């Protein structure tokens, strides 16, 4: 019998109506009672770790969750984490970096409506997460709407629909259809290496989405606030303004002062190439790191993680440029069907 640990952190799946609005209030035992039929044939252990809306899940919770998983990973064949959908992609990505080489499957799931709701997507998502957790395939994943997404590639793209998550610019790790759980072998690692817990995250980071008219002064303000890393969501395939308001020069100055600056695209799909346009090329000469098709969630959490592990800007830039877990790289086709 596969041993599966269910950890609840809260979120809509675990929510019920309160005087202050929908809030997490269900315990993991209440949740498991609702999906009793699904867990037959598995040896289930339950744990309530947090009872939080995921808007309140922050690097402190990521660190605790990573430590919990690291310490008990040999006691289970897989772990399911119930989590709010709003920041699930950040947590999935943060755990992926903190638990590199994890030897078992760790699968985050949640739902758009509470498990108490008769039309909930919660049961289906728990089923997908449970079967992925029992698959023996190591890694951190998000299970949602009958699809399994690599932890560093997930993004919440819809606020209401059941297909709230997509695998951005990367094939799905698995899907569930009439054949059961169908794994994409080109995506999923065969075995973990050896997990080393690296769960320090720095919050001295800033995520900047460009808009026409943005003041270059924002970069020095960040440096004055002791921000050590800035991730810029630039325009299109790779462009930043350099007339009237010269962002390139402002970026050069803070990079020279030791700030790590990374640049990617505001577009969700197909990634950046800052060499294409004059408006992009200049910034590459300033010592910035290009993130290509990394999601913003992955870029920010990777930067927080890298800053949590290392001090030297040059080392952090090197880490940011390295494809550690498939968080950046070419799109591959795989029929999701
Ligand atoms: N606000 C909720 C949360 O992220 C939304 C959800 O779980 O769907 O905790």
């Amino acid at each position: 019998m596969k041993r599966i640990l269910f950890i609840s952190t809260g979120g809509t799946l675990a929510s019920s109506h309160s005087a202050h609005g929908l809030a997490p209030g269900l315990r993991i035992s209440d949740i498991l009672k609702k999906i009793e039929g699904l867990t037959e044939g598995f040896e289930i252990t339950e744990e309530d770790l947090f009872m939080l809306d995921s808007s309140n899940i922050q690097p402190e919770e990521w660190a605790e969750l990573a430590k919990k998983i690291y310490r008990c990973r040999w006691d289970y064949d897989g772990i399911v984490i119930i989590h709010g959908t709003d920041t699930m992609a950040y947590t999935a990505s943060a755990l992926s970096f903190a638990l590199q080489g994890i030897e078992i499957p760790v699968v985050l799931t949640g739902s758009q409506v509470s498990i108490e709701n008769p039309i909930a997507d919660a049961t289906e998502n728990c089923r997908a997460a449970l079967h992925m957790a029992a698959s023996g395939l190591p890694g951190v994943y998000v299970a949602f709407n009958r699809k399994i997404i690599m932890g560093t590639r997930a993004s919440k793209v819809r606020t209401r629909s059941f297909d709230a998550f997509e695998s951005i610019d990367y094939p799905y790790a698995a899907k569930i259809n009439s054949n059961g759980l169908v794994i994409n072998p080109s995506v999923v690692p065969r075995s973990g290496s050896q997990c080393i817990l690296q769960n320090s995250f720095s919050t001295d980071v800033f995520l900047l989405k460009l808009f026409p008219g943005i003041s270059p002064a924002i970069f020095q303000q960040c440096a004055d606030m002791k921000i050590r890393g800035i991730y810029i969501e630039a325009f299109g395939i790779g462009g930043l303004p350099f007339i009237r308001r010269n962002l390139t020069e402002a970026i050069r100055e803070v990079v020279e002062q030791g700030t790590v600056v990374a640049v990617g695209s505001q577009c969700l799909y197909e990634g950046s190439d800052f060499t294409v346009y004059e408006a992009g090329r200049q910034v590459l000469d300033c010592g910035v790191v290009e993130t290509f098709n990394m999601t913003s969630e992955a870029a920010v959490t990777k930067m927080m993680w890298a800053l949590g592990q290392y001090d030297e800007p040059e080392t952090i830039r090197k880490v940011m440029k390295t494809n550690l877990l498939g968080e950046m790289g070419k799109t591959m086709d795989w029929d999701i069907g």
Side-chain angles (χ1 to χ4, degrees):
M1 237 191 222
K2 292 274 169 107
R3 300 155 304 162
I4 308 292
L5 171 65
F6 267 77
I7 300 177
S8 181
T9 69
T12 294
L13 190 146
S15 286
S16 39
H17 287 281
S18 77
H20 310 286
L22 204 58
L26 301 176
R27 302 184 65 81
I28 187 70
S29 52
D30 303 321
I31 296 166
L32 288 168
K33 249 180 237 138
K34 300 259 179 211
I35 56 166
E36 239 159 26
L38 299 189
T39 55
E40 249 170 55
F42 294 93
E43 189 184 316
I44 304 288
T45 306
E46 47 190 57
E47 175 152 348
D48 289 290
L49 192 59
F50 315 120
M51 211 179 263
L52 294 171
D53 185 289
S54 75
S55 306
N56 279 321
I57 292 203
Q58 297 171 46
E60 292 79 0
E61 282 76 27
W62 301 342
E64 194 175 332
L65 196 47
K67 191 163 77 185
K68 166 84 208 161
I69 295 165
Y70 179 77
R71 288 204 175 146
C72 72
R73 71 197 196 284
W74 297 121
D75 300 334
Y76 302 101
D77 295 298
I79 300 179
V80 173
I81 301 166
I82 309 287
H83 194 289
T85 61
D86 292 344
T87 67
M88 193 190 299
Y90 290 93
T91 301
S93 191
L95 290 179
S96 304
F97 293 117
L99 293 166
Q100 281 171 65
I102 186 79
E103 300 88 345
I104 60 167
V106 173
V107 191
L108 292 99
T109 197
S111 59
Q112 290 287 62
V113 281
S114 163
I115 195 144
E116 288 196 324
N117 189 317
I119 58 149
D121 50 341
T123 305
E124 214 40 63
N125 293 345
C126 285
R127 188 200 313 272
L130 174 63
H131 285 269
M132 189 62 197
S135 70
L137 295 162
V140 178
Y141 306 94
V142 167
F144 221 85
N145 198 39
R146 299 187 181 179
K147 294 185 182 96
I148 312 292
I149 306 169
M150 297 301 291
T152 55
R153 292 291 190 155
S155 192
K156 184 172 178 181
V157 297
R158 291 181 189 85
T159 58
R160 295 167 198 270
S161 307
F162 289 166
D163 53 348
F165 283 85
E166 283 180 9
S167 180
I168 305 300
D169 235 30
Y170 207 65
Y172 287 84
K175 61 189 173 185
I176 291 165
N177 63 19
S178 53
N179 294 320
L181 182 73
V182 183
I183 305 286
N184 180 354
S186 70
V187 170
V188 178
R190 292 277 121 220
S191 59
S193 32
Q194 198 193 356
C195 184
I196 302 165
L197 180 66
Q198 294 175 299
N199 64 342
S200 299
F201 295 94
S202 168
T203 53
D204 299 330
V205 293
F206 194 71
L207 165 59
L208 183 66
K209 181 170 186 155
L210 293 193
F211 59 90
I214 188 167
S215 165
I218 190 75
F219 292 100
Q220 194 53 52
Q221 300 261 346
C222 284
D224 294 347
M225 282 173 66
K226 309 270 182 269
I227 294 291
R228 296 167 58 214
I230 303 172
Y231 172 59
I232 305 170
E233 279 189 13
F235 299 126
I237 200 164
L240 299 96
F242 62 88
I243 64 159
R244 208 166 305 116
R245 299 177 181 85
N246 190 337
L247 258 57
T248 308
E249 272 323 298
I251 291 169
R252 189 189 305 279
E253 279 167 29
V254 293
V255 169
E256 281 169 7
Q257 293 164 38
T259 309
V260 175
V261 177
V263 289
S265 175
Q266 295 184 0
C267 300
L268 263 186
Y269 285 99
E270 300 178 353
S272 66
D273 181 353
F274 279 74
T275 64
V276 175
Y277 293 100
E278 182 189 13
R281 215 178 266 196
Q282 315 187 352
V283 82
L284 293 179
D285 299 329
C286 303
V288 304
V289 179
E290 184 172 357
T291 58
F292 303 101
N293 64 354
M294 246 192 268
T295 63
S296 287
E297 293 92 329
V300 169
T301 52
K302 187 175 181 181
M303 193 176 252
M304 296 172 83
W305 173 81
L307 289 164
Q309 313 305 310
Y310 310 102
D311 292 325
E312 278 303 305
E314 199 39 53
T315 312
I316 295 155
R317 273 193 282 273
K318 221 166 122 193
V319 170
M320 287 299 293
K321 279 184 194 161
T322 309
N323 184 9
L324 300 173
L325 301 155
E327 69 275 13
M328 61 179 160
K330 290 212 164 33
T331 305
M332 293 181 285
D333 295 324
W334 187 63
D335 171 34
I336 189 69

